[in-house]
């Protein structure tokens, strides 16, 4: 286990599976930890140059390696869920019945702070993305099973 990045062996395996899936999707060229370090250095250099040129930089001025890993893994998941162009993946079709079933099974996710519920029509896009998140996690878990 690499203690610089990970707090547990489980966390390390999950992150490596996410990186492997990102490589499979074509989001990165190399899923190794050395490549991760290199991408972090490039991102930090890019931000440093932008700041030196008086440009606006959103987020951190500089990433530590663990924070960069978290940022990158979040970005990969968001790219997958939003079905970003250029992703090398055949998404499973999501039928209207599947959307409604998910909504009915998870109504607690679609409740306002005062207890009233969002209607299905108001929540449809969120339901769609939640199903895509499940698909992402299933693919990562398939990779984890292969790594074990």
């Amino acid at each position: 286990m690499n203690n610089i990045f990970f707090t547990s062996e489980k966390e390390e395996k999950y992150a490596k599976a996410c990186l492997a899936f990102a490589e499979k999707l074509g989001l990165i060229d190399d899923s190794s930890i050395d490549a991760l370090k290199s991408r972090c250095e490039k991102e930090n250099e890019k931000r440093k140059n932008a700041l030196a040129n008086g440009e606006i930089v959103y987020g951190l001025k500089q990433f530590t390696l663990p924070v960069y890993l978290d940022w990158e893994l979040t970005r990969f998941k968001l790219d997958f869920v939003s079905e970003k162009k250029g992703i090398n993946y055949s998404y499973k079709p999501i039928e209207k019945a599947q959307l409604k079933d998910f909504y009915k099974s998870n109504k607690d996710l679609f409740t306002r702070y005062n207890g009233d519920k969002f209607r299905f029509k108001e929540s449809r896009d969120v339901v769609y993305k939640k199903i895509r998140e499940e698909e992402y996690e299933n693919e990562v878990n398939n990779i984890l099973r292969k790594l074990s």
Side-chain angles (χ1 to χ4, degrees):
M1 183 170 67
N2 189 337
N3 289 330
I4 295 171
F5 297 104
F6 310 106
T7 58
S8 69
E9 188 175 329
K10 182 179 178 181
E11 182 183 316
E12 179 178 7
K13 286 180 180 181
Y14 179 79
K16 287 181 177 180
C18 289
L19 289 168
F21 188 47
E23 183 176 6
K24 181 179 174 183
L25 294 172
L27 295 171
I28 54 176
D29 295 328
D30 186 347
S31 62
S32 71
I33 297 299
D34 287 338
L36 173 76
K37 291 176 184 177
S38 177
R39 289 191 302 274
C40 179
E41 290 169 5
K42 286 178 185 172
E43 182 64 28
N44 283 338
E45 188 64 29
K46 178 179 147 189
R47 288 168 182 262
K48 180 181 174 183
N49 290 338
L51 288 169
N53 292 329
E55 298 172 26
I56 296 173
V57 173
Y58 295 98
L60 300 175
K61 293 178 183 178
Q62 182 173 344
F63 288 101
T64 62
L65 289 171
V67 171
Y68 180 79
L69 173 64
D70 186 54
W71 178 76
E72 197 170 62
L73 295 183
T74 300
R75 188 174 52 90
F76 296 151
K77 187 180 224 178
L78 290 172
D79 287 350
F80 180 87
V81 168
S82 66
E83 300 178 13
K84 180 181 176 184
K85 287 186 179 187
I87 287 183
N88 183 25
Y89 183 79
S90 296
Y91 288 95
K92 296 175 181 144
I94 300 174
E95 304 294 328
K96 188 172 185 176
Q98 187 181 1
L99 292 167
K100 286 187 173 186
D101 286 345
F102 185 93
Y103 173 80
K104 288 176 185 174
S105 299
N106 297 282
K107 284 192 174 188
D108 58 315
L109 296 176
F110 308 104
T111 305
R112 291 183 177 93
Y113 69 94
N114 59 356
D116 59 324
K117 307 272 186 213
F118 287 98
R119 294 177 301 158
F120 174 74
K121 286 184 179 181
E122 296 172 300
S123 307
R124 189 178 190 285
D125 290 343
V126 174
V127 171
Y128 187 90
K129 288 182 180 185
K130 287 289 191 185
I131 292 171
R132 282 289 179 243
E133 282 182 23
E134 286 181 354
E135 186 175 354
Y136 179 89
E137 290 301 328
N138 287 337
E139 293 292 337
V140 170
N141 286 326
N142 288 338
I143 293 170
L144 274 171
R145 281 189 284 282
K146 290 175 187 174
L147 293 176
S148 297

